[in-house]
Structures are given as C-alpha cells and as structure tokens.
Amino acid sequence: MAQSTRALGRSGIQVSALGMGCWAIAGPWAEGNTPLGWGAVDDEESIRTVRRALDLGVTLFDTADTYGAGNGERVLGRALAGRRDEAVIATKWGFTFDERTRQATGPDASPAYLRRAVRDSLRRLGTDRIDLYQLHLADLPIARAQALVGTLEELVAEGLIRAYGWSTDRPDRAAAFGQDAPHATAVQHSLSVLRDAPDLLDLCEKYDLASISCGPLGMGLLTGKYHPASTLPYDDVRGITSGWLEWFRGGRPAPEWLRRVQAVRSALTADGRTLAQGALGWIWARSSRAIPIPGCRSVAQLEENAAALDLGPLSPDHFAEVERQLAALRAAALREVDRPYWPSPM
C-alpha cells in the first residue's frame, strides 16, 4: 500500500509521510574545535534537492536555527522562495550561536530568548510563520520547559507559529508537553529499524502527537554504503568520538551496528526495495504516527528516499521477519544506559 500523507499530530496539518531532514545541508559549524555539521556542502545543490523534494511530493522540511549557525535556515528559505505554501517548515530553538564565526555558544531556555529566536528564524527563512516550532534542549528540566508554554501559546495567537513540540528522546519530557501544552503536536525523537522507541511511540498514540522520526537511516548506516574500513573526515560530525553519537566511533562505522544492518538487510530488501527504502518502510509499518525525516545532500539521495513513498510500509510478513531477526539484538540495545539523546549534539 503506497504511502502519501500523515497527520501532524493534533494540529490539523497534513504533511507528506516522508520528510526531509536539513541538518546535513546546513554546512559547517562547531563548538570550539569540535565540528557539529556534516562537512562542506554545495548550497546550490541543496537548493535543487529541496525543490526536487517538493516536485516529488515531500512537503515537510525539518531544520534548526543552530544548524550551520543560521545557514541551514537561510538555505531552506532560498529553496522555498516562491513555493512557501507547498511546504511545512519545522525548525528548532534553544541553542545560541554566532552567525559570523559559526560557533555554538551554549543553551538559552529563557522566554525572552524564545521570542528573539523565533523572529530571527522567520527572517532567515524568509517567511511569516513557522508551522512546527520545536524545543531543541532534549534534557531541559520539565518545569523549565513548561514555563515556556505560555510564550509559545502567545506566538500561536500572534500567528508566528502554528504548532510546537519538543525534540527529545526522554519519555517524561514528551509526556509533559503532550498532556499539558494546548498546541503541542509532535515529539521529534530517534527511531529506526536499528533503534526502536516503544515508549515514545506509545506516548504519541496516547496524546495524539506526531512522531517526527530522526535518524531513520542511522546517520547513513542504513544506506548500505559504509563498511568496516570506511572513514569519515574530521569536519563531519560523524568523524568524531562523542558520547551521544553511537553509530560511528573514531570516524568509522561502529562494528556492532554494521552487524545489525547486515542482519536485517535481506528482509528489508526482499521485495525489491533498496536498503534505505526498506528502512523507511519499516518505520511506516511500525507506527501510523511516525514521519521519518532522513537527511540528504544531493538530488540523487532525495530521489531514492522519495521513491519509498510509492512502495509504502513493509508488508506484515516482511516486517515480522525483520522483527524476528533483530529481537535479541534490540533487547540489549534498548537499555536506557545505551540510548542516545537525539537530536541534540551539544
């Protein structure tokens, strides 16, 4: 069954069942000497990629003000010029940065910064409204996050944002917004065939929230192009050793995750899909609320991902076979101590 659109939680907004993550097209930025981007990118190719996504029916574009220290929003705004009404824009706030030096400068969870950040994002995006505005501070204490709800509701009333959510892998954080915040409509969290998130998916069902699924291709592992000898450059965030980034270590794919990719490859590709298309099909089969947002840096990568829309969810038999192959591995991977708190790189 082909897949086309899904509801963005309880907002009344309809989006394509596949989104496009825009972290990778934002270009370099760093915290000190530690890179936080995916290396150098061609902004013109990024613009062509976003426009091709629209042509193929992809309408949800997820970015953050800190990606590229503002450059990610500017590139997305340029790409959507003249086609803004075809797109649903999701962006995030919470981390401060210096646009001139492209340096991250720390978090700010104050209501005053929230008001300043939304207007800066609107300016960079070249739009008069943000469709989904997401808190980017994954581990912010619940009381401090709830103190922002009043300001978020004011921004909704002023027409500057349509709905909001929280980018966090913490179920208690997601529940706090889901049960108490009137225009909260989504939680962005890590979800892939390699890393299930049953607690968060249950919360999305309970509170009528969309699951914006980041990392659906395991930061590239589920494209099938990486092998044990692959290396990534230092200016790529995957090329560093970091406690929150589990898929790669020391600039190489983590062997345990490559083994898991190999374990499910045959089941994900059994009906003629590519590995990436099978991984996206698994997410759609896993939850009717899940909207995967794989990143891409070229038209070719986008076209492969978008072709999954015509293939739809994995069949029940293929889904069951993937689950059978991964059952023992996933039980170990779901230990709380192992979970990465996506998508907060700082």
Side-chain angles (χ1 to χ4, degrees), residues 29 64-70 73 92 95-97 104 124 136 345-346:
W29 95 105
D65 58 2
T66 194
Y67 294 168
E73 288 184 330
K92 311 177 194 74
F95 290 112
T96 67
F97 50 91
R124 285 187 293 262
H136 207 174
M346 287 173 282

Side-chain angles (χ1 to χ4, degrees), residues 169-186:
D169 278 304
R170 301 282 195 179
D172 58 341
R173 269 65 169 180
F177 260 29
Q179 62 191 343
D180 294 327
H183 284 87
T185 197

Side-chain angles (χ1 to χ4, degrees), residues 33-343:
N33 293 321
T34 302
L36 296 173
W38 293 53
V41 293
D42 179 348
D43 287 349
E44 297 307 313
E45 176 68 5
S46 298
I47 289 168
R48 287 190 291 269
T49 301
V50 170
R51 292 176 178 168
R52 182 59 175 153
L54 287 172
D55 293 340
L56 295 175
V58 175
T59 62
L60 175 64
F61 299 89
D62 179 85
T63 187
D65 58 2
T66 194
Y67 294 168
N71 189 60
E73 288 184 330
R74 285 193 295 271
V75 169
L76 182 58
R78 287 176 56 198
L80 295 178
R83 304 185 69 175
R84 171 63 182 93
D85 291 342
E86 299 177 49
V88 174
I89 295 176
T91 191
K92 311 177 194 74
W93 94 97
F95 290 112
T96 67
F97 50 91
D98 185 319
E99 293 193 46
R100 181 183 59 83
T101 63
R102 290 202 174 193
Q103 280 286 317
T105 53
D108 190 333
S110 68
Y113 181 68
L114 164 55
R115 278 205 163 270
R116 184 163 72 252
V118 74
R119 293 191 179 277
D120 287 345
S121 286
L122 289 167
R123 170 179 51 79
R124 285 187 293 262
L125 289 162
T127 186
D128 61 352
R129 81 276 185 194
I130 292 166
D131 300 296
L132 177 62
Y133 203 39
Q134 300 160 102
L135 176 60
H136 207 174
L137 303 174
D139 296 329
L140 189 68
I142 290 172
R144 294 185 66 190
Q146 290 174 326
L148 297 169
V149 170
T151 303
L152 288 165
E153 287 296 317
E154 291 170 3
L155 295 174
V156 172
E158 293 164 24
L160 299 182
I161 66 175
R162 297 176 67 190
Y164 52 87
W166 198 338
S167 180
T168 181
D169 278 304
R170 301 282 195 179
D172 58 341
R173 269 65 169 180
F177 260 29
Q179 62 191 343
D180 294 327
H183 284 87
T185 197
V187 55
Q188 183 169 148
H189 63 93
S190 179
L191 177 66
S192 74
V193 64
L194 302 178
R195 177 68 86 181
D196 199 2
D199 292 345
L200 284 157
L201 291 174
D202 288 347
L203 280 169
C204 288
E205 189 68 35
K206 180 177 180 179
Y207 295 118
D208 195 11
L209 303 174
S211 161
I212 307 297
S213 309
C214 63
L217 301 182
M219 296 188 84
L221 287 185
L222 285 161
T223 65
K225 67 182 181 182
Y226 292 106
H227 50 81
S230 297
T231 59
L232 290 150
Y234 179 77
D235 64 351
D236 188 316
V237 68
R238 298 170 296 174
I240 62 174
T241 299
S242 175
W244 65 270
L245 194 159
E246 65 175 355
W247 312 112
F248 295 82
R249 280 199 304 275
R252 292 181 181 274
E256 64 271 26
W257 291 108
L258 284 177
R259 288 194 293 271
R260 292 175 193 185
V261 171
Q262 191 60 32
V264 293
R265 181 188 294 269
S266 61
L268 291 176
T269 60
D271 59 355
R273 303 170 195 248
T274 67
L275 180 60
Q277 291 165 354
L280 296 172
W282 179 89
I283 288 177
W284 290 323
R286 176 67 179 87
S287 170
S288 63
R289 295 184 174 275
I291 305 164
I293 51 167
C296 53
R297 289 192 282 183
S298 69
V299 170
Q301 290 173 341
L302 180 280
E303 289 178 339
E304 179 182 353
N305 293 342
L309 286 167
D310 293 329
L311 299 169
L314 290 185
S315 70
D317 288 345
H318 288 146
F319 182 84
E321 179 60 18
V322 171
E323 294 304 284
R324 186 190 68 78
Q325 293 175 352
L326 275 182
L329 291 170
R330 190 180 287 133
L334 275 173
R335 295 195 309 261
E336 182 68 19
V337 70
D338 291 336
R339 291 190 61 79
Y341 294 112
W342 278 73

